[in-house]
Amino acid sequence: SDDYKNDSKSASQVRIGKTISGKTNYYKDEDLFKFIAPIDGIYKIQSLGSNKIYINIYNWENNECIKSSYIGNKDTNEYVTLNLIKGVPYALEVIGDRSSDYYSYSDYSFLVTVEELESPNSVQILKLESMPTITTITVKWSEASDNVGINYYEVYRDGILVGKVNDDVLEFIDKKLKPYTNYKYVIRAYDVSGNYSDSTECIIKTL
């Protein structure tokens, strides 16, 4: 079986700042990915797995190869950088370690990042509700937006970090609270570059 395809119609999407893991499954297996650069900038491609990988980067529009390189494993802290243009589609081809038998079968893990300083937009708290247990509160909020991508959300209760959820989770259930007590919740969004939004806060009282 093949986890990722190697043709343009079936190429898998890369999310900037999100790790992708896979495996070269058979002889001459080449896994193909695609992404559109969200901003102009210097992008870094880094191997996070235990095996080194070989990559090719193409301009998707004209099929021009703009970079071919080995990337060492996670212990070597090696990476490649490219100056990419906003709005241009790119292809990233992953090939197994070619140093021994040209195409070996190996697991891989890689990450594409870009340095930028723009903070995400703050979220809007949509709903706060006390559960029938009177010691549980559910906080829900709107999805934050960012020029590159949201990574996660942090939830604070009375100034203390009580939760951290992935970008696709827009609620937090807080348990074991005191009845008839006011609590202040703060939600903060973090993007894939480590920038964070202004805090959004509100106060809710358990039943």
Side-chain angles (χ1 to χ4, degrees), residues 26-30 95-98 100-105:
Y26 53 86
Y27 182 64
K28 291 191 175 182
D29 184 18
E30 300 172 353
I95 305 171
D97 182 4
R98 307 198 309 177
S100 54
D101 56 359
Y102 188 70
Y103 288 92
S104 65
Y105 318 138

Side-chain angles (χ1 to χ4, degrees), residues 65-155:
C65 183
I66 58 178
K67 188 79 171 184
S68 295
S69 177
Y70 272 113
I71 307 179
N73 60 32
K74 61 182 180 181
D75 298 321
T76 63
N77 195 33
E78 295 177 5
Y79 56 87
V80 297
T81 58
L82 304 99
N83 191 359
L84 302 183
I85 301 171
K86 177 181 178 180
V88 174
Y90 296 93
L92 190 156
E93 184 179 51
V94 178
I95 305 171
D97 182 4
R98 307 198 309 177
S99 59
S100 54
D101 56 359
Y102 188 70
Y103 288 92
S104 65
Y105 318 138
S106 60
D107 298 322
Y108 63 81
S109 183
F110 71 89
L111 178 69
V112 180
T113 57
V114 59
E115 290 189 10
E116 52 90 24
L117 300 175
E118 184 171 325
S119 297
N121 293 332
S122 57
V123 305
Q124 177 183 359
I125 294 181
L126 300 177
K127 191 175 184 182
L128 287 146
E129 55 186 20
S130 273
M131 305 297 286
T133 60
I134 74 171
T135 58
T136 300
I137 290 176
T138 299
V139 187
K140 298 183 179 182
W141 58 88
S142 63
E143 182 179 6
S145 60
D146 185 69
N147 62 332
V148 176
I150 299 298
N151 194 10
Y152 59 88
Y153 298 93
E154 286 186 343
V155 182

